[in-house]
Amino acid sequence: MEFPVKAGAPAKHRTECAILPVFDGRQLHGATKEFDRAARGAIAKLIRAGDTAARLGSCTMVHRTQGTAAARWLLVGCGKRAEFSPKRLTTALGAALNALRSGGTKEAISFLGYGTSLDPAEAARYSVEAARATLYRFDELKSKTDPPSRLGRLGLAVENGTNLNDVRVGIKVGSAIAAGSDLARDLGNRPPNVCTPSHLAEAARTIAKRYARMEVKVLDEADIRKLGMGALLCVTQGADEPPRLIVLEYKGAGAKEAPVALCGKGVTFDTGGISIKPAPKMDEMKFDMCGAGAVLGAMQALGELQPDINVVGVIPACENMPGGGATRPGDIVKSMSGQTVEIINTDAEGRLILCDAITYAKRFKPRCIIDIATLTGACVIALGHVYSGLFCNDEALAKALLEAADRSLDLAWRLPVHEEYGESLRSNFADFANSGTRDGGASVGANFLSRFVDGLAWAHLDIAGVAWRANANKGATGRPVPLLVDYLLNLDGQ
Ligand code: BES
Ligand code: MN
Ligand code: ZN
């Protein structure tokens, strides 16, 4: 999809459809006011007649567009003007494009960011992300698909005098984040018999081939054994599908510059193992690799944008299956760090594969480690599907991540990592156990991981509630790719 920048007089832009904002109240503003003037009050008349609503996302298509160069107007409710925000822009544009997608429109121009309080470059970035998220479909495995959207071009109108270069940078960043999110969505949506550990490794190889300054290494089971990753191995041992440890490096800065390490949970299917999960909704456990998908999506965005930073993605990928060779509750394994772990619950597998990935990531002497994981149902109970859980041992890192979350509309909420959350992990037989009390379960999981980071700045994003939607709109969201990319692009100055 193309996003040309449109400067100049709004009503003179030739387009199949002008997407115009309608705010609360009789007063017209911005581009809508100029269209109304060119059309001799036709829009004001529609509003007076009550035919268009300012309610956020309400859409009215108008075909009589006398006096303007647009063939149609799509009037989109944007709520109160004083409350207009990037989030509302995103919602309004999403509604507009949903209204357009079923028709044959090939091209449209959005005036939703024109003449508003939003920075034009930011408005452009949000518009691109919203458009691509709205038009995303996953139908590669349907034999009969809906016709694809014909909308190939969405113009972004800006006022005369706007710095067009800034806007183009906004579009470039938005496109890279959107493409990264699409990759994360595709990987998440693919069924577990397609999206295997080897499939994730293939996706990493594709990224390394396509982009400059990118290197990939894929370790197989024998390599993983040599590294002494007993925690990762005990999760995969019930599965026939072979595990992979994927290491994807983006080298945009000199070798002396410490990288950011991203560790993404890549459980391509989580049955729970011998501590098996109940049947309802178990299909959703194909999404248990969404941490890995987000790391790959973010790395792809770095490939597109080529910032001058170093980042290493470490992805432990495997299945968690029951079987004659599977790990038993009571088994004790030795992690790569040397610490031993008593497996109390084989369904607490994410922390087991991640603890070895974190230990491995330390080899790169990173400035910080950020792990991303669909780790606990408890985090879903705590935060629902709105915020990712953020656990962090470093104030500056937490602040940077929360700011990135706000800017990217990919929200995160900080939850505690106090050491008392680890008390229930006490074991009589090993250094500690992999699972403890259900109370405060998200923090207990974070506490487990914290035992492997010693001293390093570390953040853990529990994305169990935000990585996918359930029910009618079931599907991966691509989160938290926007948060990660925004954080990485704003590393300087920290
Ligand atoms: N992948 C799940 C977490 C999960 C559950 C994500 C539901 C989204 C929805 C994880 O591996 C898991 O099973 N966690 C257990 C941990 C417990 C056994 C300590 C959980 O949350 O119940
Ligand atoms: Mn599990
Ligand atoms: Zn899991």
Side-chain angles (χ1 to χ4, degrees):
M1 181 142 182
E2 287 173 53
F3 298 93
V5 184
K6 300 282 184 185
K12 296 222 167 93
H13 291 309
R14 200 162 289 288
T15 176
E16 285 179 51
C17 182
I19 300 172
L20 295 167
V22 176
F23 292 103
D24 217 17
R26 288 273 160 100
Q27 190 82 18
L28 295 178
H29 301 273
T32 312
K33 186 173 178 179
E34 301 205 25
F35 270 75
D36 185 60
R37 191 177 301 145
R40 296 173 185 274
I43 297 177
K45 200 167 154 194
L46 283 165
I47 291 173
R48 271 200 305 276
D51 287 337
T52 73
R55 185 170 42 77
L56 184 61
S58 103
C59 290
T60 313
M61 185 71 88
V62 181
H63 293 265
R64 295 187 54 160
T65 58
Q66 66 278 24
T68 74
R72 292 179 294 164
W73 305 330
L74 183 57
L75 299 171
V76 189
C78 288
K80 287 205 171 72
R81 188 170 141 88
E83 291 171 9
F84 196 55
S85 63
K87 177 71 193 158
R88 291 200 174 174
L89 170 79
T90 298
T91 308
L93 185 59
L97 296 182
N98 266 330
L100 283 183
R101 83 163 262 125
S102 46
T105 313
K106 294 193 197 64
E107 170 279 331
I109 298 179
S110 165
F111 292 87
L112 298 184
Y114 180 100
T116 64
S117 54
L118 307 190
D119 171 73
E122 281 180 12
R125 169 181 156 186
Y126 296 125
S127 298
V128 170
E129 288 180 50
R132 299 232 356 205
T134 306
L135 297 179
Y136 175 85
R137 288 292 179 279
F138 183 80
D139 49 18
E140 62 185 35
L141 295 164
K142 293 198 178 199
S143 63
K144 292 188 194 69
T145 60
D146 296 341
S149 157
R150 274 190 259 175
L151 192 64
R153 218 158 1 112
L154 180 68
L156 302 174
V158 297
E159 287 173 283
N160 272 333
T162 306
N163 183 333
L164 297 185
N165 250 359
D166 288 355
V167 175
R168 293 210 176 89
V169 170
I171 291 172
K172 187 158 191 231
V173 171
S175 300
I177 291 174
S181 303
D182 279 359
L183 173 63
R185 286 190 271 259
D186 280 344
L187 292 170
N189 288 334
R190 276 181 198 136
N193 58 336
V194 173
C195 184
T196 58
S198 318
H199 183 86
L200 291 177
E202 226 21 73
R205 284 203 185 92
T206 304
I207 292 170
K209 256 188 230 132
R210 194 181 325 155
Y211 297 105
R213 304 159 121 184
M214 203 74 85
E215 282 168 34
V216 69
K217 199 160 80 179
V218 177
L219 309 188
D220 65 14
E221 184 168 343
D223 302 324
I224 294 167
R225 195 170 304 278
K226 263 185 234 131
L227 286 168
M229 295 185 160
L232 169 53
L233 282 172
C234 88
V235 176
T236 188
Q237 77 188 42
D240 291 336
E241 193 64 45
R244 294 288 183 259
L245 183 76
I246 304 162
V247 185
L248 184 56
E249 277 183 273
Y250 172 72
K251 296 180 171 173
K256 287 196 298 289
E257 199 93 16
V260 170
L262 302 177
C263 298
K265 173 177 173 182
V267 173
T268 59
F269 195 72
D270 181 12
T271 64
I274 296 300
S275 315
I276 199 159
K277 288 180 181 295
K281 290 196 170 186
M282 205 208 270
D283 66 291
E284 290 183 16
M285 283 302 128
K286 73 172 181 174
F287 295 116
D288 214 16
M289 39 52 67
C290 283
V295 170
L296 291 172
M299 295 301 286
Q300 178 183 282
L302 295 181
E304 285 287 335
L305 297 171
Q306 297 283 312
D308 296 335
I309 55 173
N310 290 331
V311 181
V312 55
V314 179
I315 295 173
C318 69
E319 284 183 344
N320 185 20
M321 299 290 274
T327 291
R328 295 155 285 256
D331 283 3
I332 291 177
V333 300
K334 189 172 191 175
S335 68
M336 186 183 176
S337 72
Q339 299 178 99
T340 57
V341 182
E342 182 183 10
I343 310 301
I344 295 295
N345 188 322
T346 64
D347 199 10
E349 86 296 343
R351 57 198 76 181
L352 292 169
I353 70 171
L354 278 172
C355 74
D356 280 343
I358 287 170
T359 301
Y360 186 83
K362 287 201 282 194
R363 293 187 161 192
F364 294 88
K365 306 225 175 335
R367 56 187 279 169
C368 65
I369 296 181
I370 303 170
D371 77 73
I372 304 101
T374 47
L375 203 75
T376 65
C379 194
V380 190
I381 305 287
L383 298 175
H385 308 290
V386 180
Y387 290 90
S388 297
L390 168 66
F391 303 80
C392 190
N393 66 1
D394 182 276
E395 294 312 304
L397 178 58
K399 183 165 174 282
L401 286 167
L402 290 173
E403 282 170 4
D406 284 341
R407 264 194 311 267
S408 60
L409 312 181
D410 187 359
L411 300 178
W413 193 269
R414 196 159 174 196
L415 294 172
V417 268
H418 196 280
E419 62 185 15
E420 278 187 38
Y421 287 108
E423 274 172 14
S424 65
L425 297 178
R426 235 186 47 77
S427 164
N428 284 350
F429 311 109
D431 292 343
F432 44 87
N434 79 324
S435 132
T437 162
R438 287 162 47 92
D439 303 345
S443 288
V444 175
N447 178 283
F448 180 95
L449 293 174
S450 75
R451 297 167 188 242
F452 297 83
V453 297
D454 54 7
L456 269 171
W458 157 76
H460 158 57
L461 284 166
D462 193 330
I463 59 167
V466 305
W468 74 89
R469 282 180 304 267
N471 307 321
N473 277 328
K474 193 191 285 183
T477 60
R479 289 179 67 181
V481 170
L483 187 169
L484 292 173
V485 176
D486 191 298
Y487 163 75
L488 293 169
L489 294 181
N490 289 286
L491 270 185
D492 339 324
Q494 268 187 73

